[in-house]
């Protein structure tokens, strides 16, 4: 059986691309095939389509005035040659195709073979279907951990939904993961989604499923985030500067020396001191009066939150083999969030180096806040270290952001795999175009108009960037935008 002929090659034919006339207009991105001189089927992709007509301005004006005119049309396009597989490698013919050669719609086995779409069994994360086809797109989880991945799109573009899909796959494959969740969106992965429309459920082969047994959630603020257990930090592991961050004191210069002095005085009396001890000692210090009273008041507040204790949450509670831990930072001040990320990321890196915790995947939502391109966040340094060295130690990073241009370039450039949904801001589009190899102008244009739920996948072990329709979530998506005016 041969597939449908869609056109013929014409004009000057190159080794990388060719022009073709089309029998009817096709969508940009369509996969095509051409047989080469040696009889091999070669995969190509339509990069540009044109509809030419003999309708000139005068006759178009007649149409405006209700007249009728005959229009003759012709379609043509430009296609890129992707290649054929031989000995496991993708090769491109070294002789241009013959002008007049017939161009067909590519058959799915050829597409799958050349792009490298395969079922990875134990290590495949099924994220969706190749756009317009019934071919599963599976990312190799080992490749993701070793090469890091970024998920980029404008707000509302579907990042959190897609990250949810990835996390479901990690959980199915018992991959240990930790997610930094600044908006408290990910706890809903515990519950199965209410409904998947039948047509989508059949096409994507996805059933509702919750992951309650595999999810742990911690938060510095358990009054707001009631499903979470308290995330606490050990007093003895904090230095004076970090204390000031937790206390919300920005005037480091004015308070650093008194804070140091307070910690020293308290520790002398009792090395296993509590926040209560600090408050008592602060209130007992005569000199410096109002400074220590201010510290005491802030400590009163921190005491109530329970964020700091003699014994912090242990790493073994945060990193549980085969499970997912959500660090829900909803309600915490930005500098406290940075400090939490710094503390946990540093211990993950140190303990992973020593093999004390299992290989794990760290998902960083709102990455532009934790490792910004301009300015410094407390967490910048450790995140850069993990981006450049984490792979050696089995510490994979998933960087999620709606402002790619504002994420530290050295972190973003370490992500060898990218999942890109709709991006419209020109600066962000440029940042992406610069950081991805093999992105054509056509693809760059396409990502600006992608519908919600379609993403560009690059570097996931596939021969070329490809577009993927993200599969429905099995679990509930927690990032629904809040409606100010309810639907009528
Ligand atoms: N693949 C998808 N299929 C169906 N709906 C989606 C998909 N991706 C996103 N959505 C919907 O689009 C909205 C925005 O998605 P979300 O992931 O929260 O955006 P972001 O995190 O990029 O701001 C959500 O309400 C979600 O239900
Ligand atoms: Mg989001």
């Amino acid at each position: 059986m041969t597939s449908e002929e869609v056109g013929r090659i014409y004009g000057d034919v190159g080794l990388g691309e060719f022009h073709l006339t089309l029998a009817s207009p096709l969508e940009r991105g369509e996969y095509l095939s051409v047989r080469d001189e040696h009889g091999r089927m070669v995969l190509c992709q339509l990069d540009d389509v044109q509809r030419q007509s003999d309708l000139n301005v005068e006759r178009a004006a007649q149409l405006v005035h209700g007249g009728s005119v005959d229009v003759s049309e012709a379609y043509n396009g430009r296609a890129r040659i992707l290649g054929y597989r031989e000995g496991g490698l993708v090769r491109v013919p070294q002789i241009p195709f013959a002008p007049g050669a017939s161009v067909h719609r590519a058959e799915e086995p050829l597409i799958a073979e050349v792009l490298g779409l395969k079922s990875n069994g134990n290590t495949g994360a099924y994220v969706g279907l190749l756009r317009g086809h019934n071919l599963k797109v599976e990312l190799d989880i080992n490749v993701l951990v070793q090469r890091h991945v970024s998920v980029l799109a404008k707000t509302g573009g579907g990042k959190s939904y897609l990250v949810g899909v990835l996390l479901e796959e990690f959980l199915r494959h018992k991959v240990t993961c930790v997610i930094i969740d600044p908006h408290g969106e990910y706890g809903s992965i515990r519950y199965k989604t209410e409904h998947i429309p039948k047509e989508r459920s059949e096409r994507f082969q996805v059933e509702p499923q919750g992951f309650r047994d595999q999810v742990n959630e911690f938060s510095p603020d358990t009054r707001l985030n009631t499903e979470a257990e308290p995330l606490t930090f050990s007093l003895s592991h904090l230095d004076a500067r970090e204390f000031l961050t937790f206390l919300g004191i920005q005037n480091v210069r004015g308070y650093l020396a008194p804070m140091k002095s307070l910690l020293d005085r308290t520790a002398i009396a009792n090395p296993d001191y509590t926040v209560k001890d600090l408050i008592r000692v602060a209130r007992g210090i005569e000199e410096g009066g109002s400074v220590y009273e201010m510290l005491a008041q802030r400590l009163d507040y921190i005491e109530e939150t329970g964020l700091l204790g003699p014994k912090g949450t242990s790493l073994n509670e945060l990193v549980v083999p085969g499970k997912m831990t959500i660090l829900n930072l909803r309600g915490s001040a930005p500098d406290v969030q940075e400090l939490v990320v710094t503390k946990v990321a540093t211990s993950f890196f140190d303990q992973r180096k020593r093999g004390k915790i299992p290989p794990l995947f760290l998902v960083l939502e709102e990455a532009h806040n934790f490792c910004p391109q301009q300015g410094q966040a407390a967490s910048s340094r450790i995140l850069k270290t993990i981006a450049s060295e984490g792979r050696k130690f089995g510490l994979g990073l998933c960087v999620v952001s709606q402002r790619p241009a504002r994420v530290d370039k050295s972190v973003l450039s370490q992500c060898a795999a990218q999942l890109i949904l709709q991006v419209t801001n020109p600066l962000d589009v440029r940042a992406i175009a610069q950081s991805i190899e093999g992105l054509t102008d056509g693809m760059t244009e396409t990502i600006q108009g992608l519908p919600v739920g379609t993403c560009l996948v690059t570097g996931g072990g596939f021969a070329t960037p490809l577009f993927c329709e993200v599969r429905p979530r099995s679990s509930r998506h927690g990032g629904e935008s809040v409606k100010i005016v309810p639907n009528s």
Side-chain angles (χ1 to χ4, degrees), residues 156 159-161 183 185-186 365-366 400 477 479:
K159 295 178 299 295
S160 304
Y161 193 98
H183 302 299
E185 305 176 90
Y186 286 93
E365 266 271 2
E366 307 284 355
V400 187
H477 175 50

Side-chain angles (χ1 to χ4, degrees), residues 150 152 404 409 412-418 420 428-439 458:
S150 60
L152 309 171
K409 295 270 171 303
L412 212 52
S413 65
Q414 292 291 336
C415 298
Q418 285 107 351
I420 296 162
D428 294 328
V429 173
R430 198 161 67 196
I432 289 171
Q434 283 168 354
S435 70
I436 298 180
E437 241 176 86
L439 201 67
T458 75

